[in-house]
Amino acid sequence: MKRLAIVLLAACGGSKPEPEPPASRAPARPAPAGFAECDLVSFDDGVLGTYAIRGEKLVKLGELRLAPPAPTQDPMGSEYAFPLIGDWADRDHLFVRVGKRRVVMVTAAGLADLAVPDDKTLEIPHPEDTHPSSEYLGKQYTFVDLVVEDGEVWWSRCPYSFLYDGGFCFQWVNHRLWPEPAREVDDGERIPRVYPWGEDPPKGYVLAPPKDPEICTPPTGSAVTIPLRIDIPEGTSGDEAEDYYSEHRFTARWVQASPPKLLVTYGYTPEFDPPYVSSAALFDGCSAKPSFIGGEPRRGPDGLWEASGHVFRGGTELGVVGDARFRPPN
Protein backbone atom coordinates (compact mmCIF):
# COMPACT_ATOMS: atom_id res chain seq x y z
CA MET A 1 0.00 0.00 0.00
CA LYS A 2 1.31 3.43 -0.85
CA ARG A 3 2.07 5.61 2.13
CA LEU A 4 1.60 9.35 1.98
CA ALA A 5 0.24 11.97 4.34
CA ILE A 6 -2.22 14.61 3.22
CA VAL A 7 -2.29 18.21 4.35
CA LEU A 8 -5.00 19.68 6.51
CA LEU A 9 -7.99 21.00 4.62
CA ALA A 10 -11.37 22.23 5.76
CA ALA A 11 -13.68 19.33 6.62
CA CYS A 12 -16.59 18.46 4.34
CA GLY A 13 -19.56 20.56 5.30
CA GLY A 14 -17.45 23.30 6.87
CA SER A 15 -17.71 22.09 10.48
CA LYS A 16 -14.21 21.13 11.70
CA PRO A 17 -10.75 20.85 10.08
CA GLU A 18 -10.10 17.44 8.57
CA PRO A 19 -7.34 15.69 10.55
CA GLU A 20 -4.34 14.30 8.72
CA PRO A 21 -4.88 10.54 8.27
CA PRO A 22 -2.49 7.96 9.72
CA ALA A 23 0.42 6.95 7.52
CA SER A 24 -1.30 3.62 6.79
CA ARG A 25 -3.90 5.48 4.76
CA ALA A 26 -2.85 6.51 1.30
CA PRO A 27 -4.54 9.57 -0.22
CA ALA A 28 -5.41 8.47 -3.71
CA ARG A 29 -6.81 11.58 -5.38
CA PRO A 30 -9.05 14.59 -4.78
CA ALA A 31 -12.69 14.15 -3.86
CA PRO A 32 -15.24 14.61 -6.66
CA ALA A 33 -16.33 18.16 -7.42
CA GLY A 34 -19.06 19.39 -5.10
CA PHE A 35 -18.34 16.92 -2.31
CA ALA A 36 -18.00 19.67 0.34
CA GLU A 37 -21.50 21.05 -0.30
CA CYS A 38 -23.42 18.00 -1.58
CA ASP A 39 -26.66 16.79 0.04
CA LEU A 40 -26.31 13.23 -1.22
CA VAL A 41 -24.05 11.00 -3.27
CA SER A 42 -24.88 8.24 -5.72
CA PHE A 43 -23.24 4.94 -6.62
CA ASP A 44 -23.78 4.26 -10.31
CA ASP A 45 -21.82 1.44 -12.00
CA GLY A 46 -18.59 2.24 -10.20
CA VAL A 47 -19.01 6.04 -10.32
CA LEU A 48 -19.43 8.23 -7.23
CA GLY A 49 -21.67 11.21 -8.02
CA THR A 50 -22.37 14.29 -5.91
CA TYR A 51 -25.73 16.08 -5.87
CA ALA A 52 -27.27 19.13 -4.21
CA ILE A 53 -30.96 19.75 -3.55
CA ARG A 54 -32.02 23.09 -4.97
CA GLY A 55 -35.65 23.76 -4.12
CA GLU A 56 -37.49 20.70 -5.42
CA LYS A 57 -34.81 19.60 -7.88
CA LEU A 58 -31.57 17.64 -7.77
CA VAL A 59 -28.53 19.32 -9.29
CA LYS A 60 -25.47 17.25 -10.18
CA LEU A 61 -22.21 18.76 -8.92
CA GLY A 62 -19.56 16.27 -9.97
CA GLU A 63 -18.50 12.63 -10.28
CA LEU A 64 -15.49 10.37 -9.87
CA ARG A 65 -14.99 6.80 -11.03
CA LEU A 66 -13.98 4.56 -8.12
CA ALA A 67 -14.33 1.11 -9.71
CA PRO A 68 -14.41 -0.37 -13.22
CA PRO A 69 -17.79 -0.59 -14.97
CA ALA A 70 -19.72 -3.83 -14.64
CA PRO A 71 -18.24 -6.59 -16.81
CA THR A 72 -20.36 -7.94 -19.62
CA GLN A 73 -19.55 -11.51 -18.53
CA ASP A 74 -20.34 -12.87 -15.04
CA PRO A 75 -21.40 -9.48 -13.58
CA MET A 76 -22.18 -11.14 -10.24
CA GLY A 77 -18.80 -12.85 -9.90
CA SER A 78 -16.96 -12.72 -6.59
CA GLU A 79 -14.85 -9.75 -7.65
CA TYR A 80 -17.92 -7.72 -8.58
CA ALA A 81 -20.70 -9.07 -6.38
CA PHE A 82 -21.30 -5.50 -5.21
CA PRO A 83 -19.62 -2.79 -7.33
CA LEU A 84 -19.87 0.00 -4.73
CA ILE A 85 -21.33 -0.26 -1.25
CA GLY A 86 -21.01 2.11 1.68
CA ASP A 87 -22.49 5.11 3.45
CA TRP A 88 -21.77 8.21 5.52
CA ALA A 89 -20.44 7.55 9.03
CA ASP A 90 -21.02 11.22 9.79
CA ARG A 91 -21.45 14.43 7.82
CA ASP A 92 -17.78 14.68 6.96
CA HIS A 93 -16.82 11.06 6.23
CA LEU A 94 -18.12 8.79 3.48
CA PHE A 95 -16.85 5.19 3.28
CA VAL A 96 -17.08 3.09 0.12
CA ARG A 97 -16.07 -0.46 -0.73
CA VAL A 98 -14.61 -0.21 -4.23
CA GLY A 99 -13.31 -3.76 -4.68
CA LYS A 100 -13.26 -7.16 -3.07
CA ARG A 101 -10.92 -6.05 -0.27
CA ARG A 102 -10.55 -2.29 -0.73
CA VAL A 103 -12.30 0.46 1.21
CA VAL A 104 -11.79 4.19 0.70
CA MET A 105 -12.65 7.09 2.99
CA VAL A 106 -13.89 10.16 1.13
CA THR A 107 -13.66 13.61 2.73
CA ALA A 108 -13.27 17.14 1.43
CA ALA A 109 -9.50 16.55 1.71
CA GLY A 110 -9.62 13.69 -0.79
CA LEU A 111 -9.66 9.90 -0.88
CA ALA A 112 -7.69 7.68 1.51
CA ASP A 113 -7.45 3.88 1.65
CA LEU A 114 -8.38 2.04 4.84
CA ALA A 115 -6.59 -1.12 5.90
CA VAL A 116 -8.90 -4.15 5.65
CA PRO A 117 -8.22 -7.25 7.81
CA ASP A 118 -6.99 -10.33 5.96
CA ASP A 119 -8.74 -13.70 6.01
CA LYS A 120 -6.56 -15.03 8.81
CA THR A 121 -7.60 -12.30 11.25
CA LEU A 122 -11.25 -12.94 10.37
CA GLU A 123 -11.03 -16.61 11.40
CA ILE A 124 -12.21 -18.33 14.58
CA PRO A 125 -11.82 -21.99 15.62
CA HIS A 126 -14.06 -24.22 13.50
CA PRO A 127 -17.12 -25.01 15.65
CA GLU A 128 -18.61 -28.50 15.65
CA ASP A 129 -21.52 -29.15 13.26
CA THR A 130 -20.78 -26.09 11.14
CA HIS A 131 -19.61 -25.48 7.59
CA PRO A 132 -17.78 -22.51 6.10
CA SER A 133 -20.37 -19.85 5.30
CA SER A 134 -18.99 -19.46 1.78
CA GLU A 135 -20.64 -22.79 0.94
CA TYR A 136 -24.09 -21.26 1.43
CA LEU A 137 -24.12 -19.19 -1.73
CA GLY A 138 -27.02 -16.75 -1.76
CA LYS A 139 -27.45 -16.55 2.00
CA GLN A 140 -27.82 -12.98 3.18
CA TYR A 141 -24.72 -12.98 5.37
CA THR A 142 -22.41 -14.24 2.62
CA PHE A 143 -22.66 -10.78 1.02
CA VAL A 144 -21.82 -8.77 4.14
CA ASP A 145 -18.45 -7.10 4.62
CA LEU A 146 -18.43 -3.29 4.99
CA VAL A 147 -20.94 -2.05 7.58
CA VAL A 148 -21.23 1.71 8.20
CA GLU A 149 -22.94 2.71 11.43
CA ASP A 150 -23.51 6.14 12.95
CA GLY A 151 -19.93 7.22 13.73
CA GLU A 152 -18.26 3.82 13.18
CA VAL A 153 -17.14 1.66 10.27
CA TRP A 154 -16.79 -2.14 10.55
CA TRP A 155 -15.56 -5.02 8.40
CA SER A 156 -17.74 -8.03 9.28
CA ARG A 157 -17.74 -11.68 8.32
CA CYS A 158 -19.61 -14.82 9.32
CA PRO A 159 -16.93 -17.56 9.02
CA TYR A 160 -19.10 -20.58 9.94
CA SER A 161 -22.76 -21.53 9.77
CA PHE A 162 -24.80 -24.40 11.17
CA LEU A 163 -25.88 -27.24 8.91
CA TYR A 164 -29.54 -27.11 9.96
CA ASP A 165 -32.34 -24.50 9.94
CA GLY A 166 -31.21 -23.01 6.68
CA GLY A 167 -27.60 -22.55 7.75
CA PHE A 168 -27.87 -19.66 10.19
CA CYS A 169 -24.68 -17.91 11.27
CA PHE A 170 -22.72 -19.27 14.24
CA GLN A 171 -20.85 -16.09 15.19
CA TRP A 172 -19.79 -12.83 13.57
CA VAL A 173 -16.19 -11.62 13.52
CA ASN A 174 -16.22 -7.81 13.41
CA HIS A 175 -13.22 -5.53 12.90
CA ARG A 176 -13.67 -1.81 13.37
CA LEU A 177 -11.87 0.12 10.64
CA TRP A 178 -12.69 3.65 11.83
CA PRO A 179 -12.27 5.74 13.89
CA GLU A 180 -10.13 3.38 16.03
CA PRO A 181 -9.33 -0.29 15.31
CA ALA A 182 -11.06 -2.94 17.42
CA ARG A 183 -12.05 -6.61 17.11
CA GLU A 184 -15.06 -8.43 18.48
CA VAL A 185 -16.65 -11.87 18.11
CA ASP A 186 -20.39 -11.69 18.66
CA ASP A 187 -23.59 -13.66 18.09
CA GLY A 188 -25.19 -10.65 16.38
CA GLU A 189 -24.17 -8.76 13.28
CA ARG A 190 -23.41 -5.05 13.07
CA ILE A 191 -26.39 -3.01 11.87
CA PRO A 192 -25.99 -0.10 9.43
CA ARG A 193 -27.41 3.33 10.24
CA VAL A 194 -31.16 3.59 9.49
CA TYR A 195 -33.07 6.87 9.51
CA PRO A 196 -36.58 6.86 11.00
CA TRP A 197 -39.56 7.46 8.77
CA GLY A 198 -41.01 10.91 9.40
CA GLU A 199 -44.69 10.03 9.16
CA ASP A 200 -47.09 12.95 8.92
CA PRO A 201 -50.70 11.65 8.83
CA PRO A 202 -52.99 13.84 6.73
CA LYS A 203 -56.02 15.21 8.52
CA GLY A 204 -59.14 13.12 8.13
CA TYR A 205 -57.44 10.06 6.60
CA VAL A 206 -57.52 6.78 8.50
CA LEU A 207 -55.47 3.62 8.00
CA ALA A 208 -56.98 0.52 9.56
CA PRO A 209 -54.71 -1.35 12.00
CA PRO A 210 -52.17 -3.57 10.20
CA LYS A 211 -54.12 -6.60 9.06
CA ASP A 212 -55.51 -8.23 5.93
CA PRO A 213 -57.15 -6.44 4.31
CA GLU A 214 -55.77 -3.05 5.35
CA ILE A 215 -58.18 -0.20 4.59
CA CYS A 216 -57.48 3.44 3.72
CA THR A 217 -60.43 5.74 4.46
CA PRO A 218 -60.39 9.34 3.12
CA PRO A 219 -62.29 12.25 4.71
CA THR A 220 -64.89 11.99 1.95
CA GLY A 221 -65.65 9.24 -0.51
CA SER A 222 -65.31 5.48 -0.34
CA ALA A 223 -62.74 3.50 1.60
CA VAL A 224 -60.09 1.69 -0.45
CA THR A 225 -58.40 -1.64 0.24
CA ILE A 226 -54.63 -1.18 0.00
CA PRO A 227 -53.40 -3.67 -2.62
CA LEU A 228 -51.98 -6.85 -1.14
CA ARG A 229 -49.39 -6.94 -3.92
CA ILE A 230 -48.43 -4.69 -6.79
CA ASP A 231 -49.77 -5.47 -10.24
CA ILE A 232 -47.91 -8.10 -12.23
CA PRO A 233 -46.33 -6.40 -15.26
CA GLU A 234 -47.84 -7.33 -18.60
CA GLY A 235 -46.00 -10.20 -20.26
CA THR A 236 -44.66 -11.70 -17.01
CA SER A 237 -45.03 -15.45 -16.94
CA GLY A 238 -43.63 -18.68 -15.53
CA ASP A 239 -41.21 -18.41 -12.61
CA GLU A 240 -41.30 -14.60 -12.76
CA ALA A 241 -45.06 -14.58 -12.25
CA GLU A 242 -44.69 -16.96 -9.30
CA ASP A 243 -42.20 -14.53 -7.72
CA TYR A 244 -44.67 -11.68 -8.03
CA TYR A 245 -47.55 -13.73 -6.62
CA SER A 246 -45.47 -14.63 -3.56
CA GLU A 247 -44.81 -10.96 -2.77
CA HIS A 248 -46.92 -9.59 0.09
CA ARG A 249 -47.67 -6.17 1.54
CA PHE A 250 -45.51 -5.31 4.54
CA THR A 251 -46.21 -1.74 5.66
CA ALA A 252 -48.25 1.32 4.72
CA ARG A 253 -47.19 4.77 5.98
CA TRP A 254 -47.87 8.39 5.18
CA VAL A 255 -44.85 10.24 3.81
CA GLN A 256 -46.61 13.53 3.07
CA ALA A 257 -49.70 15.19 4.53
CA SER A 258 -50.59 17.72 1.84
CA PRO A 259 -51.31 16.51 -0.72
CA PRO A 260 -51.55 13.12 1.02
CA LYS A 261 -49.04 10.50 -0.17
CA LEU A 262 -49.05 6.90 1.05
CA LEU A 263 -45.97 4.67 0.67
CA VAL A 264 -46.58 0.91 0.77
CA THR A 265 -43.75 -1.61 0.93
CA TYR A 266 -43.88 -5.19 -0.33
CA GLY A 267 -41.59 -8.15 0.15
CA TYR A 268 -41.03 -11.80 0.88
CA THR A 269 -40.73 -13.94 3.99
CA PRO A 270 -38.26 -16.76 3.26
CA GLU A 271 -38.34 -19.90 5.37
CA PHE A 272 -34.88 -19.51 6.90
CA ASP A 273 -33.95 -15.86 6.22
CA PRO A 274 -35.33 -12.65 7.73
CA PRO A 275 -38.19 -10.96 5.84
CA TYR A 276 -36.93 -8.47 3.30
CA VAL A 277 -38.49 -5.62 1.37
CA SER A 278 -38.28 -5.98 -2.39
CA SER A 279 -40.40 -3.12 -3.71
CA ALA A 280 -42.47 -0.07 -2.83
CA ALA A 281 -45.43 1.78 -4.31
CA LEU A 282 -46.50 5.39 -3.79
CA PHE A 283 -50.23 6.20 -3.77
CA ASP A 284 -52.03 9.54 -4.00
CA GLY A 285 -54.14 9.50 -0.85
CA CYS A 286 -56.40 6.46 -0.76
CA SER A 287 -56.13 5.76 -4.49
CA ALA A 288 -56.28 2.20 -5.77
CA LYS A 289 -53.42 2.49 -8.29
CA PRO A 290 -49.88 3.67 -7.49
CA SER A 291 -48.33 6.75 -9.06
CA PHE A 292 -44.83 5.27 -8.61
CA ILE A 293 -43.42 1.73 -8.25
CA GLY A 294 -39.79 1.10 -7.36
CA GLY A 295 -37.43 -1.12 -5.43
CA GLU A 296 -36.73 -1.19 -1.70
CA PRO A 297 -36.91 2.38 -0.34
CA ARG A 298 -33.86 3.82 1.40
CA ARG A 299 -34.65 6.36 4.10
CA GLY A 300 -32.81 9.64 4.58
CA PRO A 301 -33.01 12.64 6.92
CA ASP A 302 -35.66 15.39 6.77
CA GLY A 303 -38.27 13.35 4.88
CA LEU A 304 -35.91 12.25 2.09
CA TRP A 305 -36.07 8.75 0.66
CA GLU A 306 -35.05 6.93 -2.49
CA ALA A 307 -36.19 3.88 -4.46
CA SER A 308 -34.66 2.62 -7.71
CA GLY A 309 -32.70 5.86 -8.02
CA HIS A 310 -35.78 8.09 -7.74
CA VAL A 311 -35.21 10.59 -4.93
CA PHE A 312 -38.21 11.98 -3.03
CA ARG A 313 -38.85 14.42 -0.25
CA GLY A 314 -42.11 13.20 1.19
CA GLY A 315 -44.23 12.55 -1.88
CA THR A 316 -42.42 14.98 -4.22
CA GLU A 317 -39.91 13.49 -6.64
CA LEU A 318 -36.73 15.57 -6.82
CA GLY A 319 -34.88 13.68 -9.55
CA VAL A 320 -33.29 10.41 -10.60
CA VAL A 321 -29.75 9.34 -9.70
CA GLY A 322 -27.94 6.06 -9.12
CA ASP A 323 -28.02 4.26 -5.77
CA ALA A 324 -28.37 7.24 -3.38
CA ARG A 325 -26.72 7.76 0.02
CA PHE A 326 -28.04 10.74 1.98
CA ARG A 327 -25.68 13.00 3.86
CA PRO A 328 -26.40 13.25 7.60
CA PRO A 329 -27.66 16.65 8.79
CA ASN A 330 -25.54 19.08 10.80
Side-chain angles (χ1 to χ4, degrees), residues 26-48:
R29 46 188 154 162
F35 185 82
E37 65 267 25
C38 68
D39 296 303
L40 60 102
V41 296
S42 69
F43 301 155
D44 189 7
D45 197 20
V47 174
L48 173 66

PDB file of all heavy atoms in Angstrom, residues 26-48:
ATOM      1  N   ALA A  26      -3.503   5.876   2.433  1.00  0.00           N
ATOM      2  CA  ALA A  26      -2.846   6.512   1.295  1.00  0.00           C
ATOM      3  C   ALA A  26      -3.830   7.393   0.545  1.00  0.00           C
ATOM      4  O   ALA A  26      -4.761   6.893  -0.070  1.00  0.00           O
ATOM      5  CB  ALA A  26      -2.289   5.433   0.358  1.00  0.00           C
ATOM      6  N   PRO A  27      -3.670   8.718   0.584  1.00  0.00           N
ATOM      7  CA  PRO A  27      -4.541   9.568  -0.223  1.00  0.00           C
ATOM      8  C   PRO A  27      -4.385   9.211  -1.698  1.00  0.00           C
ATOM      9  O   PRO A  27      -3.276   9.202  -2.222  1.00  0.00           O
ATOM     10  CB  PRO A  27      -4.040  10.980   0.077  1.00  0.00           C
ATOM     11  CG  PRO A  27      -3.277  10.859   1.359  1.00  0.00           C
ATOM     12  CD  PRO A  27      -2.704   9.487   1.354  1.00  0.00           C
ATOM     13  N   ALA A  28      -5.478   8.906  -2.326  1.00  0.00           N
ATOM     14  CA  ALA A  28      -5.414   8.466  -3.713  1.00  0.00           C
ATOM     15  C   ALA A  28      -5.555   9.630  -4.682  1.00  0.00           C
ATOM     16  O   ALA A  28      -4.760   9.777  -5.597  1.00  0.00           O
ATOM     17  CB  ALA A  28      -6.506   7.432  -3.977  1.00  0.00           C
ATOM     18  N   ARG A  29      -6.553  10.471  -4.467  1.00  0.00           N
ATOM     19  CA  ARG A  29      -6.809  11.579  -5.383  1.00  0.00           C
ATOM     20  C   ARG A  29      -7.822  12.507  -4.747  1.00  0.00           C
ATOM     21  O   ARG A  29      -8.422  12.189  -3.717  1.00  0.00           O
ATOM     22  CB  ARG A  29      -7.329  11.040  -6.712  1.00  0.00           C
ATOM     23  CG  ARG A  29      -8.409   9.988  -6.572  1.00  0.00           C
ATOM     24  CD  ARG A  29      -8.734   9.352  -7.895  1.00  0.00           C
ATOM     25  NE  ARG A  29      -9.267   8.010  -7.705  1.00  0.00           N
ATOM     26  CZ  ARG A  29      -9.944   7.354  -8.624  1.00  0.00           C
ATOM     27  NH1 ARG A  29     -10.158   7.914  -9.798  1.00  0.00           N
ATOM     28  NH2 ARG A  29     -10.387   6.133  -8.392  1.00  0.00           N
ATOM     29  N   PRO A  30      -8.079  13.657  -5.358  1.00  0.00           N
ATOM     30  CA  PRO A  30      -9.048  14.587  -4.780  1.00  0.00           C
ATOM     31  C   PRO A  30     -10.460  14.006  -4.777  1.00  0.00           C
ATOM     32  O   PRO A  30     -10.795  13.120  -5.565  1.00  0.00           O
ATOM     33  CB  PRO A  30      -8.948  15.804  -5.713  1.00  0.00           C
ATOM     34  CG  PRO A  30      -7.624  15.676  -6.376  1.00  0.00           C
ATOM     35  CD  PRO A  30      -7.376  14.205  -6.521  1.00  0.00           C
ATOM     36  N   ALA A  31     -11.277  14.532  -3.894  1.00  0.00           N
ATOM     37  CA  ALA A  31     -12.685  14.150  -3.863  1.00  0.00           C
ATOM     38  C   ALA A  31     -13.377  14.683  -5.111  1.00  0.00           C
ATOM     39  O   ALA A  31     -12.896  15.611  -5.762  1.00  0.00           O
ATOM     40  CB  ALA A  31     -13.341  14.712  -2.605  1.00  0.00           C
ATOM     41  N   PRO A  32     -14.522  14.101  -5.484  1.00  0.00           N
ATOM     42  CA  PRO A  32     -15.239  14.615  -6.656  1.00  0.00           C
ATOM     43  C   PRO A  32     -15.710  16.041  -6.428  1.00  0.00           C
ATOM     44  O   PRO A  32     -15.926  16.474  -5.286  1.00  0.00           O
ATOM     45  CB  PRO A  32     -16.420  13.645  -6.800  1.00  0.00           C
ATOM     46  CG  PRO A  32     -16.587  13.032  -5.461  1.00  0.00           C
ATOM     47  CD  PRO A  32     -15.213  12.956  -4.877  1.00  0.00           C
ATOM     48  N   ALA A  33     -15.857  16.786  -7.495  1.00  0.00           N
ATOM     49  CA  ALA A  33     -16.334  18.162  -7.417  1.00  0.00           C
ATOM     50  C   ALA A  33     -17.665  18.207  -6.674  1.00  0.00           C
ATOM     51  O   ALA A  33     -18.531  17.351  -6.869  1.00  0.00           O
ATOM     52  CB  ALA A  33     -16.491  18.741  -8.823  1.00  0.00           C
ATOM     53  N   GLY A  34     -17.806  19.211  -5.818  1.00  0.00           N
ATOM     54  CA  GLY A  34     -19.061  19.395  -5.099  1.00  0.00           C
ATOM     55  C   GLY A  34     -19.209  18.586  -3.832  1.00  0.00           C
ATOM     56  O   GLY A  34     -20.240  18.681  -3.165  1.00  0.00           O
ATOM     57  N   PHE A  35     -18.175  17.786  -3.478  1.00  0.00           N
ATOM     58  CA  PHE A  35     -18.339  16.924  -2.311  1.00  0.00           C
ATOM     59  C   PHE A  35     -18.568  17.728  -1.036  1.00  0.00           C
ATOM     60  O   PHE A  35     -19.350  17.332  -0.172  1.00  0.00           O
ATOM     61  CB  PHE A  35     -17.107  16.028  -2.139  1.00  0.00           C
ATOM     62  CG  PHE A  35     -17.256  15.020  -1.033  1.00  0.00           C
ATOM     63  CD1 PHE A  35     -17.927  13.825  -1.245  1.00  0.00           C
ATOM     64  CD2 PHE A  35     -16.741  15.272   0.230  1.00  0.00           C
ATOM     65  CE1 PHE A  35     -18.084  12.901  -0.229  1.00  0.00           C
ATOM     66  CE2 PHE A  35     -16.888  14.360   1.262  1.00  0.00           C
ATOM     67  CZ  PHE A  35     -17.560  13.169   1.028  1.00  0.00           C
ATOM     68  N   ALA A  36     -17.899  18.878  -0.894  1.00  0.00           N
ATOM     69  CA  ALA A  36     -18.000  19.667   0.339  1.00  0.00           C
ATOM     70  C   ALA A  36     -19.409  20.180   0.589  1.00  0.00           C
ATOM     71  O   ALA A  36     -19.822  20.326   1.732  1.00  0.00           O
ATOM     72  CB  ALA A  36     -17.016  20.833   0.294  1.00  0.00           C
ATOM     73  N   GLU A  37     -20.176  20.461  -0.490  1.00  0.00           N
ATOM     74  CA  GLU A  37     -21.498  21.051  -0.302  1.00  0.00           C
ATOM     75  C   GLU A  37     -22.643  20.141  -0.717  1.00  0.00           C
ATOM     76  O   GLU A  37     -23.810  20.541  -0.690  1.00  0.00           O
ATOM     77  CB  GLU A  37     -21.619  22.375  -1.068  1.00  0.00           C
ATOM     78  CG  GLU A  37     -21.537  22.244  -2.589  1.00  0.00           C
ATOM     79  CD  GLU A  37     -20.127  22.438  -3.114  1.00  0.00           C
ATOM     80  OE1 GLU A  37     -19.173  22.207  -2.350  1.00  0.00           O
ATOM     81  OE2 GLU A  37     -19.988  22.813  -4.291  1.00  0.00           O
ATOM     82  N   CYS A  38     -22.365  18.887  -1.073  1.00  0.00           N
ATOM     83  CA  CYS A  38     -23.423  18.004  -1.579  1.00  0.00           C
ATOM     84  C   CYS A  38     -24.400  17.609  -0.471  1.00  0.00           C
ATOM     85  O   CYS A  38     -24.059  17.576   0.709  1.00  0.00           O
ATOM     86  CB  CYS A  38     -22.821  16.763  -2.227  1.00  0.00           C
ATOM     87  SG  CYS A  38     -21.995  15.642  -1.075  1.00  0.00           S
ATOM     88  N   ASP A  39     -25.628  17.285  -0.879  1.00  0.00           N
ATOM     89  CA  ASP A  39     -26.663  16.786   0.039  1.00  0.00           C
ATOM     90  C   ASP A  39     -26.793  15.274  -0.013  1.00  0.00           C
ATOM     91  O   ASP A  39     -27.345  14.667   0.900  1.00  0.00           O
ATOM     92  CB  ASP A  39     -28.014  17.415  -0.300  1.00  0.00           C
ATOM     93  CG  ASP A  39     -28.010  18.915  -0.092  1.00  0.00           C
ATOM     94  OD1 ASP A  39     -27.715  19.346   1.042  1.00  0.00           O
ATOM     95  OD2 ASP A  39     -28.294  19.660  -1.049  1.00  0.00           O
ATOM     96  N   LEU A  40     -26.301  14.679  -1.089  1.00  0.00           N
ATOM     97  CA  LEU A  40     -26.311  13.229  -1.219  1.00  0.00           C
ATOM     98  C   LEU A  40     -25.296  12.834  -2.268  1.00  0.00           C
ATOM     99  O   LEU A  40     -24.857  13.651  -3.073  1.00  0.00           O
ATOM    100  CB  LEU A  40     -27.703  12.706  -1.593  1.00  0.00           C
ATOM    101  CG  LEU A  40     -28.315  13.193  -2.911  1.00  0.00           C
ATOM    102  CD1 LEU A  40     -28.185  12.120  -3.994  1.00  0.00           C
ATOM    103  CD2 LEU A  40     -29.777  13.552  -2.729  1.00  0.00           C
ATOM    104  N   VAL A  41     -24.912  11.559  -2.234  1.00  0.00           N
ATOM    105  CA  VAL A  41     -24.049  11.004  -3.274  1.00  0.00           C
ATOM    106  C   VAL A  41     -24.769   9.809  -3.887  1.00  0.00           C
ATOM    107  O   VAL A  41     -25.714   9.267  -3.311  1.00  0.00           O
ATOM    108  CB  VAL A  41     -22.675  10.566  -2.710  1.00  0.00           C
ATOM    109  CG1 VAL A  41     -21.915  11.763  -2.172  1.00  0.00           C
ATOM    110  CG2 VAL A  41     -22.835   9.479  -1.651  1.00  0.00           C
ATOM    111  N   SER A  42     -24.307   9.413  -5.061  1.00  0.00           N
ATOM    112  CA  SER A  42     -24.884   8.245  -5.725  1.00  0.00           C
ATOM    113  C   SER A  42     -23.778   7.281  -6.126  1.00  0.00           C
ATOM    114  O   SER A  42     -22.652   7.694  -6.424  1.00  0.00           O
ATOM    115  CB  SER A  42     -25.685   8.664  -6.965  1.00  0.00           C
ATOM    116  OG  SER A  42     -24.813   9.141  -7.983  1.00  0.00           O
ATOM    117  N   PHE A  43     -24.113   5.999  -6.111  1.00  0.00           N
ATOM    118  CA  PHE A  43     -23.240   4.945  -6.621  1.00  0.00           C
ATOM    119  C   PHE A  43     -23.878   4.437  -7.909  1.00  0.00           C
ATOM    120  O   PHE A  43     -24.981   3.887  -7.887  1.00  0.00           O
ATOM    121  CB  PHE A  43     -23.124   3.784  -5.618  1.00  0.00           C
ATOM    122  CG  PHE A  43     -22.591   4.179  -4.274  1.00  0.00           C
ATOM    123  CD1 PHE A  43     -22.897   3.428  -3.152  1.00  0.00           C
ATOM    124  CD2 PHE A  43     -21.785   5.294  -4.119  1.00  0.00           C
ATOM    125  CE1 PHE A  43     -22.403   3.778  -1.905  1.00  0.00           C
ATOM    126  CE2 PHE A  43     -21.289   5.653  -2.874  1.00  0.00           C
ATOM    127  CZ  PHE A  43     -21.603   4.889  -1.756  1.00  0.00           C
ATOM    128  N   ASP A  44     -23.193   4.623  -9.018  1.00  0.00           N
ATOM    129  CA  ASP A  44     -23.775   4.263 -10.308  1.00  0.00           C
ATOM    130  C   ASP A  44     -22.723   3.575 -11.174  1.00  0.00           C
ATOM    131  O   ASP A  44     -21.896   4.237 -11.803  1.00  0.00           O
ATOM    132  CB  ASP A  44     -24.321   5.507 -11.004  1.00  0.00           C
ATOM    133  CG  ASP A  44     -25.127   5.183 -12.256  1.00  0.00           C
ATOM    134  OD1 ASP A  44     -25.368   3.985 -12.516  1.00  0.00           O
ATOM    135  OD2 ASP A  44     -25.516   6.119 -12.968  1.00  0.00           O
ATOM    136  N   ASP A  45     -22.727   2.236 -11.182  1.00  0.00           N
ATOM    137  CA  ASP A  45     -21.825   1.441 -12.001  1.00  0.00           C
ATOM    138  C   ASP A  45     -20.364   1.854 -11.787  1.00  0.00           C
ATOM    139  O   ASP A  45     -19.621   2.095 -12.733  1.00  0.00           O
ATOM    140  CB  ASP A  45     -22.201   1.560 -13.478  1.00  0.00           C
ATOM    141  CG  ASP A  45     -21.568   0.445 -14.321  1.00  0.00           C
ATOM    142  OD1 ASP A  45     -21.170  -0.594 -13.753  1.00  0.00           O
ATOM    143  OD2 ASP A  45     -21.472   0.612 -15.550  1.00  0.00           O
ATOM    144  N   GLY A  46     -19.965   1.923 -10.531  1.00  0.00           N
ATOM    145  CA  GLY A  46     -18.585   2.241 -10.197  1.00  0.00           C
ATOM    146  C   GLY A  46     -18.256   3.706 -10.104  1.00  0.00           C
ATOM    147  O   GLY A  46     -17.118   4.068  -9.805  1.00  0.00           O
ATOM    148  N   VAL A  47     -19.238   4.588 -10.341  1.00  0.00           N
ATOM    149  CA  VAL A  47     -19.011   6.037 -10.325  1.00  0.00           C
ATOM    150  C   VAL A  47     -19.668   6.642  -9.087  1.00  0.00           C
ATOM    151  O   VAL A  47     -20.840   6.372  -8.796  1.00  0.00           O
ATOM    152  CB  VAL A  47     -19.566   6.710 -11.587  1.00  0.00           C
ATOM    153  CG1 VAL A  47     -19.463   8.227 -11.492  1.00  0.00           C
ATOM    154  CG2 VAL A  47     -18.823   6.202 -12.822  1.00  0.00           C
ATOM    155  N   LEU A  48     -18.901   7.468  -8.354  1.00  0.00           N
ATOM    156  CA  LEU A  48     -19.432   8.227  -7.230  1.00  0.00           C
ATOM    157  C   LEU A  48     -19.863   9.594  -7.735  1.00  0.00           C
ATOM    158  O   LEU A  48     -19.046  10.355  -8.266  1.00  0.00           O
ATOM    159  CB  LEU A  48     -18.360   8.377  -6.142  1.00  0.00           C
ATOM    160  CG  LEU A  48     -18.688   9.288  -4.962  1.00  0.00           C
ATOM    161  CD1 LEU A  48     -19.821   8.725  -4.132  1.00  0.00           C
ATOM    162  CD2 LEU A  48     -17.449   9.518  -4.097  1.00  0.00           C
TER     163      LEU A  48
END
